[in-house]
Every structure is written in structure tokens, then in C-alpha cells.
Amino acid sequence: MEFKQLEAFVAVVENKSFSEAARQLNLTQPTISAHINSLEQELNSRLLIRTTKKLNITQRGLLLYDCASNMLNMRSNIIEEFTGQNKKIIDLAVSTIPSSYLLPGILSAFTSQIPDVYFHSWQSDSLGAVARVLDGSVDLALVGNTFDEPDCCFIPFCKDKLVIATPVNQHYLQYQQKMTVFPSIR
């Protein structure tokens, strides 16, 4: 169960509308529906009864609404208590290499410029991070690979250079001179 799913559920109940919840959370209506469906499957409970004209909350849905509202309020209070201010939360998925080598510097620079934003991050491989973007459980992802995924926009933000480190001896020095086989990586 993710905070994003609970936020979507609470917004649907409070707005009595999937489309209004989507507008309020800056998500698409299918993403809101996917969050609600995931919650219903995970909890093995019908939370909302939807018809073309009406949206009703079930008894189990009312119980979840109370718990979810409390949890979201507690999270906001904890963030406010520990940071001294009310911050916006950005959910971020990060693949392994960017998480280890790029994220600390990026977050430090970002929060020094925009201190009222708090990042909640999940680390996984690139494919897992992109999957989180697609299912709406994160706002964005930093990944090391691009994929043929029409529902995602991949924007390069960093370039790296890979090198081979070897001992300085005749065996490896001969390969350095033969690297013309791969001039693009030289």
C-alpha cells in the first residue's frame, strides 16, 4: 500500500468523483482508477461502488477513509514537525547507479534552492522505476536506461564516461594502442 494510493482514495471520497480527484492531485483519471483498484485488490475489499451516475462508499471504504485520512495527516504533521515548515512531497523512483552517485548531489542542490520540497524515494532497477511512473505511484524517476515506452518521456539530464582501469604493464598497454577498434568509446 502506497501513500499515493491512499491520497487518491481520500480525494475520490472527499470529491465524490474520480475526475475531480484526478484534477486535485494533478493525475489522470485512469491513474486514480488504477490506485483504487490496487487498494481494493490488496485489501481484498470493495471500497467504492461506482455507477455511471453515482459513487457510493462501502462500509469497508468508510473504515479505510478514516484510517487513510489519519495516516496522511500524521505524515504531514511529521514532515512539518521535523522540518519546521509544510513541505510539498515529490515521490521519486531511482535506479541503482543514479541513486548511489547522482541523487545525493542533485537533492542537496535542489533543496538548497527550493527548501519547501521534500523527496520520498524508492530505489530499484531502471525497469522497476519506470513501472512506478507508469502505475502512478511516483511523480518521476531517475534511470540509467531508456525504454520503448510510449507513455513515458525520457529526458537526458546527465552524461557519463566509462573507462577501463588496468595496471600499467606491457600486456594492457598493447590494448590501449589497439583501442582504435572501438573509436567511439575512446
Side-chain angles (χ1 to χ4, degrees), residues 145-160:
N145 292 323
T146 60
F147 301 96
D148 187 22
E149 178 51 62
D151 292 327
C152 280
C153 177
F154 293 89
I155 303 167
F157 73 97
C158 184
K159 222 177 188 186
D160 65 354

Side-chain angles (χ1 to χ4, degrees), residues 14 33 36 42 61 67 72 86-88 93 114-115 123 129 134 158 165 178:
E14 289 177 350
S33 294
I36 302 302
E42 186 174 345
C67 292
L72 294 171
N86 195 4
K87 291 190 168 197
K88 163 124 178 65
I114 306 171
Q123 183 178 335
L134 291 171
C158 184
K178 292 180 183 177

Side-chain angles (χ1 to χ4, degrees), residues 101-115:
Y101 297 101
L102 300 175
L103 193 60
I106 290 171
L107 292 184
S108 175
F110 187 92
T111 54
S112 71
Q113 300 260 331
I114 306 171

Side-chain angles (χ1 to χ4, degrees), residues 7 19 49 56 77 85-86 89 100 121 124 126 152 158 179:
E7 287 171 342
S19 57
I49 299 170
N56 291 316
N77 291 340
Q85 52 191 300
N86 195 4
I89 298 170
S100 299
S121 64
S124 69
S126 291
C152 280
C158 184
M179 285 305 288

Side-chain angles (χ1 to χ4, degrees), residues 47-156:
L47 303 171
L48 300 170
I49 299 170
R50 339 183 230 301
T51 65
T52 55
K53 296 182 181 184
K54 205 172 182 186
L55 176 74
N56 291 316
I57 186 166
T58 65
Q59 268 317 111
R60 302 277 294 168
L62 285 171
L63 290 171
L64 178 63
Y65 173 76
D66 289 338
C67 292
S69 295
N70 289 334
M71 286 177 66
L72 294 171
N73 286 333
M74 286 173 51
R75 181 176 82 162
S76 293
N77 291 340
I78 288 169
I79 291 168
E80 188 173 337
E81 177 69 30
F82 282 87
T83 63
Q85 52 191 300
N86 195 4
K87 291 190 168 197
K88 163 124 178 65
I89 298 170
I90 295 177
D91 290 305
L92 176 68
V94 189
S95 64
T96 310
I97 300 300
S99 175
S100 299
Y101 297 101
L102 300 175
L103 193 60
I106 290 171
L107 292 184
S108 175
F110 187 92
T111 54
S112 71
Q113 300 260 331
I114 306 171
D116 60 337
V117 174
Y118 170 80
F119 287 89
H120 185 230
S121 64
W122 286 272
Q123 183 178 335
S124 69
D125 61 5
S126 291
L127 192 57
V130 170
R132 282 187 172 270
V133 170
L134 291 171
D135 72 17
S137 60
V138 298
D139 299 306
L140 65 132
L142 301 178
V143 295
N145 292 323
T146 60
F147 301 96
D148 187 22
E149 178 51 62
D151 292 327
C152 280
C153 177
F154 293 89
I155 303 167

